[in-house]
Amino acid sequence: MVKVVKFGGSSLASAEQFRKVADIIHSDESRRYVVPSAPGKRFSSDTKVTDMLYGCYELAVKGRNFDKEFEAIKERYNSIIDELKIDLDLTEEFNTVKACFIGRAGRDYAASRGEYLNGKVLAAYLGYEFVDPAEIVFFREDGTFDIEPTLAAVSERLKGVERAVIPGFYGSMPNDTIKSFSRGGSDITGSIVAAGVNADLYENWTDVSGFLICDPRIVEDPEPIRTITYKELRELAYMGATVLHEDAIFPVRKAGIPINIKNTNKPGDPGTFIVESTSLKPLYTITGIAGKKGFAVVNIEKDMMNSELGFGRKVLEQFEKNGVSFEHMPSGIDTMSIVVHQNEFGEKEQEILAGIHRNAHPDVIDIETDLSLIAVVGRGMKSERGTAGRIFSALAHAHVNVKMIDQGSSELNIIIGVAERDFERAVSAIYEIFVLQKL
Ligand code: ADP
Ligand code: ASP
Ligand code: MG
């Protein structure tokens, strides 16, 4: 049995957390490959090392002095090393990083050092081999992740390596410069390593007891989801349930490796199993709720739109030409609505509207902003009648006005658009009706 274990930033934020991590690793000898994040927040007003690095690098690029900020980063690592009495001196490493900042080695390089240095500390603490992902995680010229050569390199490099620490979050470009994934990307590295060594399980250790039915920052103490399918998770992750990076699913899914989300602070809790498919019935009609703010809707009306050949294409072409992708497109007989990210759309708004007017000749175009989208996801919804009805009644009771609804053809999710100011209230109302009232 081989397990790949990824520990998130809060799991490695302090010496005390490092001790918990070591206990977890030592308690199961199949936990052979460890993927650490950079030290995260120790308390809610703390700053993640990744953010400290970005800040420092910004000063370096502006040619400003960043000694004080850099010292604070060194202190984060040194306090862990000192408190745990690890036989490791990072002075040389710090000097190299600082010199590279001055030499403008790039923002991705800067951010990646959080994981790199933490990997050094953890490897020394555990007595495991350190493997730099720059040697085995590859990006293409255009910056996209290159999975095939990566999996081959991971497999080759770790063959015969009994135990290793492989930092998360970054890899290298064809020209050998460092490239990092988007924020939260250590989850992807964990998944890549799991697929590369053909692990039996990918354990993702964080600060919550699994994937919760909804965001704990919105509903107090929501229940964890015991088992969720990759498809459900992808919907939720995409819509902002950021406990696992949305791209972390692909490598393990392809290899049929389940993911178990676990809590470093409560290792005895079962956490959430993420699987390809399951015969386990979900406890509730819905599996989870997630949502995001920051959307705009372009509502287009034209009489007889439904019979006008190519109308939709002419409209969508304008978005494509301007590099704006759309999220959803609910439509009626004479109306269509295009939901877009407000910040992307804002920059190109006038070009797109002019293009639609010129090419599609609509009767009315109207824009609504400050919309949030909520995804209600669940494999159990298909077999239950009236799910949408219950959602609406819950929202009506909570005095939330529904601006849009879109049900995916898979019947796995229902997307609801509400004003941003109603967002939290809407999520709580949906949680209440399906979970607390078990309707
Ligand atoms: P890590 O640093 O371990 O990678 P993250 O901060 O990336 O952890 O993800 C865990 C956090 O995700 C939780 O502390 C929680 O605040 C947030 N979160 C948002 N939605 C959910 C959800 N549905 N279930 C669990 N956690 C969620
Ligand atoms: N340290 C990186 C971040 O803060 C990557 C990660 O934590 O997964 O985004
Ligand atoms: Mg994370």
Side-chain angles (χ1 to χ4, degrees):
M1 179 93 146
V2 177
K3 290 180 188 166
V4 170
V5 287
K6 178 259 169 181
F7 290 90
S10 52
S11 301
L12 291 164
S14 64
E16 189 194 347
Q17 292 300 90
F18 263 69
R19 280 199 197 98
K20 293 183 193 167
V21 165
D23 284 346
I24 290 166
I25 293 169
H26 291 142
S27 70
D28 179 347
E29 62 174 40
S30 59
R31 292 181 176 137
R32 288 173 44 194
Y33 303 105
V34 183
V35 176
S37 287
K41 293 183 180 192
R42 292 160 294 184
F43 38 88
S44 64
S45 60
D46 200 12
T47 309
K48 291 180 170 191
V49 166
T50 308
D51 292 306
M52 297 168 88
L53 287 161
Y54 277 129
C56 242
Y57 188 68
E58 220 157 273
L59 292 173
V61 169
K62 287 182 188 147
R64 305 241 303 265
N65 183 295
F66 58 92
D67 288 348
K68 196 176 96 224
E69 288 77 6
F70 199 77
E71 283 305 312
I73 294 171
K74 283 163 67 174
E75 180 46 33
R76 289 291 308 261
Y77 293 102
N78 284 336
S79 68
I80 296 170
I81 293 171
D82 293 347
E83 211 175 312
L84 297 176
K85 301 190 174 54
I86 303 171
D87 184 16
L88 177 72
D89 181 358
L90 287 178
T91 310
E92 285 284 306
E93 296 282 2
F94 289 140
N95 289 341
T96 307
V97 173
K98 195 164 187 188
C100 289
F101 273 35
I102 293 165
R104 307 199 178 171
R107 226 176 152 256
D108 281 16
Y109 167 83
S112 77
R113 294 307 89 181
E115 272 61 16
Y116 172 84
L117 294 167
N118 219 23
K120 288 273 173 181
V121 178
L122 187 61
Y125 185 47
L126 296 170
Y128 283 17
E129 182 171 341
F130 173 88
V131 174
D132 192 339
E135 296 167 27
I136 51 176
V137 174
F138 305 125
F139 291 86
R140 300 186 190 91
E141 204 75 65
D142 64 3
T144 54
F145 169 56
D146 202 355
I147 189 162
E148 297 303 333
T150 296
L151 293 183
V154 170
S155 161
E156 183 58 33
R157 177 68 181 80
L158 295 178
K159 204 187 322 163
V161 177
E162 189 55 28
R163 294 171 188 282
V165 170
I166 309 107
F169 193 38
Y170 70 94
S172 58
M173 293 288 288
N175 67 1
D176 284 342
T177 55
I178 295 291
K179 163 103 186 122
S180 53
F181 289 108
S182 56
R183 294 302 302 266
S186 298
D187 292 331
I188 309 173
T189 313
S191 179
I192 291 165
V193 174
V197 302
N198 202 10
D200 297 280
L201 183 64
Y202 169 27
E203 285 181 343
N204 188 293
W205 292 82
T206 181
D207 60 352
V208 278
S209 289
F211 213 101
L212 308 174
I213 291 180
C214 67
D215 191 329
R217 291 161 295 190
I218 299 178
V219 170
E220 205 186 313
D221 219 5
E223 283 192 34
I225 302 166
R226 289 297 288 273
T227 307
I228 186 171
T229 63
Y230 288 126
K231 272 194 194 143
E232 290 172 309
L233 180 97
R234 174 136 173 80
E235 300 281 351
L236 290 169
Y238 183 73
M239 284 302 284
T242 50
V243 64
L244 191 75
H245 192 294
E246 52 167 322
D247 295 339
I249 295 164
F250 296 111
V252 279
R253 182 174 184 182
K254 259 186 147 172
I257 302 166
I259 308 174
N260 189 193
I261 311 257
K262 297 271 287 176
N263 189 347
T264 301
N265 306 315
K266 290 184 185 169
D269 285 358
T272 301
F273 269 94
I274 307 166
V275 298
E276 178 64 47
S277 59
T278 175
S279 60
L280 288 176
K281 287 239 159 36
L283 221 46
Y284 308 103
T285 306
I286 61 162
T287 301
I289 312 162
K292 270 193 210 171
K293 294 182 178 176
F295 293 94
V297 200
V298 183
N299 295 310
I300 299 171
E301 281 178 39
K302 186 173 187 183
D303 274 348
M304 312 292 282
M305 177 193 291
N306 65 325
S307 55
E308 184 178 328
L309 210 60
F311 184 84
R313 178 183 48 76
K314 287 178 213 159
V315 169
L316 292 179
E317 220 169 45
Q318 305 312 316
F319 290 86
E320 185 181 353
K321 263 194 207 155
N322 287 285
V324 174
S325 63
F326 71 92
E327 286 294 302
H328 293 280
M329 195 183 60
S331 63
I333 301 173
D334 293 331
T335 61
M336 70 191 274
S337 300
I338 294 129
V339 182
V340 286
H341 284 277
Q342 196 156 319
N343 56 355
E344 273 178 38
F345 176 69
E347 288 167 20
K348 298 284 180 168
E349 176 189 270
Q350 293 311 318
E351 287 93 323
I352 294 173
L353 295 183
I356 296 174
H357 274 297
R358 259 199 314 275
N359 293 284
H361 312 289
D363 297 333
V364 183
I365 304 185
D366 136 83
I367 302 173
E368 265 187 83
T369 56
D370 303 325
L371 186 83
S372 58
L373 294 182
I374 297 170
V376 182
V377 177
R379 60 187 184 278
M381 296 192 324
K382 213 191 300 204
S383 53
E384 290 270 342
R385 263 175 302 160
T387 309
R390 272 176 282 164
I391 295 174
F392 286 130
S393 99
L395 293 177
H397 269 104
H399 303 289
V400 173
N401 179 23
V402 176
K403 293 185 174 286
M404 185 209 91
I405 175 156
D406 195 5
Q407 177 159 26
S409 51
S410 61
E411 285 189 58
L412 192 66
N413 66 351
I414 295 177
I415 307 281
I416 301 145
V418 303
E420 281 182 358
R421 63 174 181 281
D422 292 337
F423 177 69
E424 283 82 8
R425 201 148 29 98
V427 171
S428 303
I430 299 169
Y431 182 81
E432 158 100 27
I433 193 149
F434 286 105
V435 182
L436 299 181
Q437 299 184 22
K438 254 192 156 193
L439 277 178

